[in-house]
Amino acid sequence: MTANSICNSVSPKPAVSTKGESHLSIATIPGDGTGPEVTAEALKVLDAVAKIDGISFHVETLDWGGDRYLRTGEIIPAGGLDLLRSKDAIFLGAIGHPEVAPGVLEKGLLLELRFKLDQYINLRPVKLLPGVETPLAGRGPADIDFVIVRENTEDLYCGVGGFLKKDTPDEVAVQQAIYTRKGCERCVRWAFEYTRKRNSPRKTLTLVAKTNVLTFGHDLWWRTFQDVAKEYPDVKTDYNHVDACCMWMVKNPDAYDVIVTTNMFGDIITDLGGILQGGMGVAAGANLNPDQGGVSMFEPMGGSAPKYTGLNQINPIAAINAMAMLLEHTGHAQSGARIDRAVAHVTGTAMKSQAAGKMGHGTREVGDLVLAAINAEQARLQKV
Ligand code: IPM
Ligand code: MN
């Protein structure tokens, strides 16, 4: 397997897993298009906070993605999943290659990792940062701050289905949505826990589904939600049909605290959420396996943006936000929060736009600005 690594600690990575200690062992998959450029900025920022907070880390870079697939025909090399299982976290830049048919890398890499590593939570914060433009007229950061918890292993994504009489006028295509009590319950319970911990003034978990039409699968979700809710009397509950949710997200985004939803609906409403918070330049997400020994993957939500490749024009903020999430979910909340503050400072004071090519800076320069904000804050604190 082709791999190289960077490391801020003098000793090589110990053979035994260091899970649970302050050493962080990360695999990065920079991937295709602009993925490597944004990954580089996220790693730069990791290095800065690691220095301040005394975290030693080791990064192993994996060349998985479109180019490797075109060269070798292989998407995840033999032993690849076990390699990832030995890490504390995975950082994914972007996948999607103009010369690879749609679906091949999405299913073969991204969905494969989510499923095989049982990353059953897809966590996508929708937070409008200072200085960032939202398409919602008259709305600001105080109005747009909620979180979508998307189930990440079931539903229409399970890949069950087939064709009958393919390529004939009588063709039939079947694409099954699968929902299990276990898959639903673990996601719903995690969302309740998360809402409790987030402890916002609203402290409300909203189930988003389509119980009026999907009277089997979403009935299971509805009943599970009601059952689990009994364990969380301190968390208020609400329900929206997904179509109505799309309206409310635009009309009253301030009414939401945490949303829990199915995989397919979650895919759709998180793009809507992404644009409310300023677009793919800033939106980040985490694919979490919160179980003991589970390994989670963090990624900017946007794609590989081939037309911007190598131009130093893509916005690295989403990737930097994903790195903050990585730190938060691997027990380094303080370092994650440092990045959050620095990013808010940079978006609020130094960027013209969050769109690629319009930021007023290049990709590397935005990374440098975040770095400078982290170090400036630390210098201020040390003076006090
Ligand atoms: C996302 C993406 C993926 C999804 C695609 C690339 C398979 O849209 O992470 O939201 O549908 O989950
Ligand atoms: Mn999507």
Side-chain angles (χ1 to χ4, degrees):
M1 185 175 313
T2 319
N4 56 59
S5 57
I6 62 165
C7 191
N8 76 344
S9 55
V10 273
S11 57
K13 179 179 154 47
V16 257
S17 164
T18 51
K19 283 192 178 186
E21 294 167 28
S22 83
H23 180 89
L24 251 187
S25 174
I26 301 174
T28 62
I29 305 170
D32 304 319
T34 52
E37 289 169 71
V38 297
T39 301
E41 299 315 304
L43 290 175
K44 223 158 84 176
V45 169
L46 167 68
D47 191 52
V49 294
K51 275 197 189 103
I52 296 173
D53 292 324
I55 306 166
S56 75
F57 67 88
H58 176 274
V59 176
E60 184 167 351
T61 306
L62 305 170
D63 67 348
W64 307 356
D67 285 329
R68 185 198 165 101
Y69 171 69
L70 290 171
R71 219 172 48 238
T72 67
E74 202 171 46
I75 301 181
I76 298 179
L81 286 170
D82 281 336
L83 174 72
L84 295 181
R85 288 190 185 100
S86 75
K87 304 291 180 183
D88 296 310
I90 305 160
F91 188 92
L92 177 69
I95 54 146
H97 195 291
E99 286 153 47
V100 179
V104 173
L105 296 167
E106 290 86 341
K107 281 175 96 168
L109 183 54
L110 184 61
L111 299 183
E112 183 74 3
L113 294 184
R114 288 177 182 170
F115 290 178
K116 289 280 167 60
L117 301 174
D118 207 17
Q119 295 166 338
Y120 58 87
I121 300 294
N122 193 326
L123 183 66
R124 296 188 163 178
V126 180
K127 187 176 166 66
L128 182 64
L129 295 174
V132 176
E133 202 183 330
T134 172
L136 297 188
R139 296 293 193 174
D143 306 309
I144 301 175
D145 184 4
F146 60 97
V147 179
I148 300 174
V149 177
R150 165 186 174 190
E151 199 287 323
N152 212 27
T153 58
E154 302 196 336
D155 199 356
L156 283 164
Y157 277 76
C158 62
V160 173
F163 299 106
L164 187 66
K165 301 184 184 173
K166 193 169 181 212
D167 294 327
T168 76
D170 298 326
E171 177 163 353
V172 177
V174 175
Q175 188 95 44
Q176 295 271 6
I178 291 189
Y179 307 97
T180 67
R181 172 77 194 206
K182 180 183 160 190
C184 170
E185 187 170 332
R186 64 186 183 174
C187 175
V188 165
R189 178 165 285 109
W190 193 90
F192 271 105
E193 283 292 333
Y194 182 83
T195 311
R196 176 180 274 173
K197 280 202 206 100
R198 181 168 145 95
N199 201 23
S200 88
R202 283 157 289 171
K203 213 177 185 179
T204 302
L205 180 62
T206 304
L207 171 65
V208 169
K210 188 77 182 173
T211 54
N212 54 346
V213 174
L214 306 180
T215 52
F216 308 115
H218 288 202
D219 187 67
L220 172 64
W221 269 76
W222 171 258
R223 282 181 284 112
T224 305
F225 186 74
Q226 303 303 321
D227 285 350
V228 178
K230 292 181 197 129
E231 298 166 34
Y232 298 87
D234 54 315
V235 175
K236 293 191 251 336
T237 57
D238 201 355
Y239 173 80
N240 288 171
H241 291 320
V242 66
D243 45 351
C245 170
C246 290
M247 289 199 311
W248 295 127
M249 273 173 68
V250 171
K251 188 166 184 294
N252 297 106
D254 49 322
Y256 287 114
D257 178 14
V258 182
I259 288 173
V260 64
T261 192
T262 55
N263 203 348
M264 187 76 253
F265 290 168
D267 177 46
I268 298 165
I269 68 169
T270 55
D271 263 33
L272 177 53
I275 198 67
L276 299 187
Q277 70 178 119
M280 291 303 151
V282 295
N287 303 274
L288 304 176
N289 177 336
D291 296 345
Q292 191 68 34
V295 61
S296 301
M297 176 165 70
F298 302 82
E299 49 170 341
M301 250 174 68
S304 58
K307 73 172 185 182
Y308 291 107
T309 305
L311 300 180
N312 194 39
Q313 288 184 0
I314 196 78
N315 190 346
I317 293 287
I320 293 170
N321 285 339
M323 185 56 79
M325 293 181 85
L326 183 154
L327 286 162
E328 191 194 329
H329 288 274
T330 51
H332 304 281
Q334 186 189 331
S335 312
R338 262 184 214 288
I339 299 179
D340 290 342
R341 290 192 299 274
V343 166
H345 177 78
V346 170
T347 60
T349 62
M351 292 176 75
K352 283 197 192 132
S353 157
Q354 300 302 317
K358 299 185 179 152
M359 302 183 288
H361 307 276
T363 306
R364 289 187 291 274
E365 289 67 35
V366 171
D368 290 342
L369 285 167
V370 175
L371 219 69
I374 289 168
N375 291 327
E377 182 197 67
Q378 184 59 8
R380 268 198 315 277
L381 291 174
Q382 275 171 344
K383 261 193 216 148
V384 180

